[in-house]
Amino acid sequence: MISFLLRRILSSIPVALSVIAICFLLVRLAPGSPFSSERALDPATQSILETKYGLSGSLPNQLFHYASNLLHGDLGDSLKFRGRSVNEIIGQSLPRSLLLGSIAFTLALAFGIPLGAWSAARQGKPSGTLLNGLALLTLSIPTFILAPVTVLLFSFYIHLCPPAGWGSPSQLVLPALCLSLPFVGVCARLTRSGLLEVLGADFIRTARAKGVTEPNLVFLHALRPAILPLVAYAGPLAASILTGSLLIEETFAIPGIGQFFVSGVINRDVFLVSGVVLVYCLLLLFFNLVADWLTALLDPRISLSS
Amino acid sequence: MKPRALHLCLAALAFLTLAAIFGPYFSPYSVDQISQTRLASPDATHWLGTDLHGRDLLTRLLFGARISLLVGLVGATISLFVGVTYGLISGYLGGRIDNAMMRFVDILYALPRIVLVIVLISLFDLKLKHLLDGTFLAPLASHARLLLLFVGLGLVEWLTLARIVRAQVLSIKERAFVLSARLIGQNTPTILFRQILPQVIPIVLTYLTLALPAVILEESFLSFLGLGVQAPLASWGTLLADGAALLNPIRTPWWLIVFPSLLLAFTLLLLNFLGDQLRKLQK
């Protein structure tokens, strides 16, 4: 277990470093300077600013400077939001995105797994087809459609929830729902296909022959091996819920990490973009690690050491 | 599921495509014709209403369908070529090369796609414009950005396919016919493209139906954020963004949000359903 963890963490380091390096270089290579927004700066000011932020000299030099700061835990200063460090911005905005993301993730699993199980249990009957169609429908409606439509419906026509903002629990309802709904469909379909495969297995036939009732069969016997594909997918899923929140944050005016990311990309705010990408990358690696560990926990045949 | 559902779905997709190609010609309005009837709700003259500048929404939606569907098709095709070639080579060569190639895919997976697409577009926008200007492709020069969007989306969408194809090739290359091909002296490219490629094509084609909605979605997403298709051109994403920008508690022109949403969601549903059915047929 510990050696598995150590090995995984060690092998993640080069991935994270390459991601950061590629990201830094890409943003630096993109035309347009972070310092010239409306009017061009005179070359002297430009070079003073570049020296100040460690962006002068050749690209490899800049990258080296950034990487050595990074190893000291310093993500640099934002070039657009002057006077704020990237550490500070991420420290403030990440918890909000994480809260929203974890609510949406819980909702996606809480609705998706039962929906998938139910539609698998009703396989071949009209109700099963209907439930499967419902899952397909939720997965086909992207968040950027859901967001304006739900605001129109539930904030402006029926005054149920506030349309935007951050702070009170009622302001969380719409964004969390919009963020989770497409993933409800994804979870439901993964659960369904996993279950259908397991329900054809021998041990299920034996259990059925022993007289286990159909709901017990699905929820007690079949579900555990059947959600393995879902668990494997949940790592990238958690990461994509967090990146998916980018648009939700934009529409619902939530000061989360996604908003800073978009503005950073547009303004070539290289330290901000690299910092956020590093956070996303670490989250992805972390969730993948947890997913692998959970898979081994659920399926004793899988060993972590191989 | 009956094949009737599949036929209905195909018919609906064909209708959408035809409407996108020929629809704008039948419309009495042109796509960027500004009129005094601003924000008119749907009626007999403007079936789906008009937008902030008095442009007919139905015409704009049909026009947007051209770009949205084209982006999907071109992007998915590019991802197909890149992904299949990459997966074939990586899987067949195996060993250290395979390992390195797959690590590269892992790294790209961990990078947010929107950064890649945006950087690609802004890096090569002007260069491509200059390149096109001198040649017979000059009329395309003003759309260099759009062309790059097509290519960029295709280039970020190939990762999953490369993994799928590689996994397939790993098992196929152990089969007897590959060994025989090698024994009669066929070279590696011939074996790859004449022997192994035909074996992976069914899977690749079903993947195409997955990639199509994914690329359309990504384009709308970027356009919604204002980073994709630029005015005066319109795609479903930009139309939806225009509608969402007018969202206000006093009087929202609901048709500008509802109709683009319905059309986009319906198309994605059709494509997802099609992919579903094709995968079922394969089993």
Side-chain angles (χ1 to χ4, degrees), chain A residues 39-73:
Chain A
R39 56 211 171 100
L41 287 172
D42 61 291
T45 321
Q46 171 112 12
S47 83
I48 291 173
L49 275 172
E50 280 180 352
T51 320
K52 180 181 173 231
Y53 287 104
L55 293 174
S56 54
S58 68
L59 270 181
N61 268 341
Q62 296 177 21
L63 182 61
F64 182 74
H65 187 255
Y66 177 60
S68 64
N69 277 345
L70 205 61
L71 290 178
H72 290 105

Side-chain angles (χ1 to χ4, degrees), chain A residues 141-259:
Chain A
I141 308 178
T143 46
F144 57 86
I145 288 186
L146 280 170
V149 172
T150 48
V151 168
L152 191 64
L153 273 179
F154 298 113
S155 298
F156 295 160
Y157 284 139
I158 318 164
H159 298 274
L160 218 57
C161 300
W166 182 258
S168 73
S170 66
Q171 285 171 322
L172 265 174
V173 177
L174 284 184
L177 275 179
C178 290
L179 190 52
S180 65
L181 202 61
F183 298 107
V184 169
V186 178
C187 290
R189 282 159 57 84
L190 280 170
T191 312
R192 177 174 177 273
S193 64
L195 259 181
L196 285 181
E197 208 157 288
V198 173
L199 283 176
D202 288 343
F203 76 96
I204 293 297
R205 200 182 46 197
T206 314
R208 195 174 275 143
K210 278 166 60 187
V212 179
T213 58
E214 229 22 57
N216 274 345
L217 194 71
V218 170
F219 286 101
L220 292 182
H221 292 254
L223 200 55
R224 181 169 147 170
I227 59 170
L228 281 175
L230 178 64
V231 172
Y233 178 74
L237 174 85
S240 68
I241 282 189
L242 288 169
T243 41
S245 70
L246 201 139
L247 224 148
I248 294 288
E249 285 170 12
E250 192 87 0
T251 320
F252 289 99
I254 296 169
I257 196 169
Q259 277 211 332

Side-chain angles (χ1 to χ4, degrees), chain B residues 101-117:
Chain B
M101 285 175 89
M102 281 300 123
R103 277 300 86 74
F104 181 62
V105 170
D106 287 347
I107 290 169
L108 285 188
Y109 247 110
L111 267 177
R113 288 165 186 195
I114 103 166
V115 183
L116 279 180
V117 177

Side-chain angles (χ1 to χ4, degrees), chain A residues 268-282:
Chain A
R268 313 273 183 267
D269 195 339
V270 59
F271 297 122
L272 186 55
V273 174
S274 305
V276 176
V277 167
L278 179 67
V279 170
Y280 281 147
C281 174
L282 290 180

Side-chain angles (χ1 to χ4, degrees), chain A residues 31, chain B residues 121-132 144 148:
Chain B
I121 291 174
S122 40
L123 260 185
F124 295 109
D125 190 7
L126 286 174
K127 280 182 193 146
L128 187 70
K129 216 171 256 176
H130 288 308
L131 204 71
L132 290 176
L148 279 170

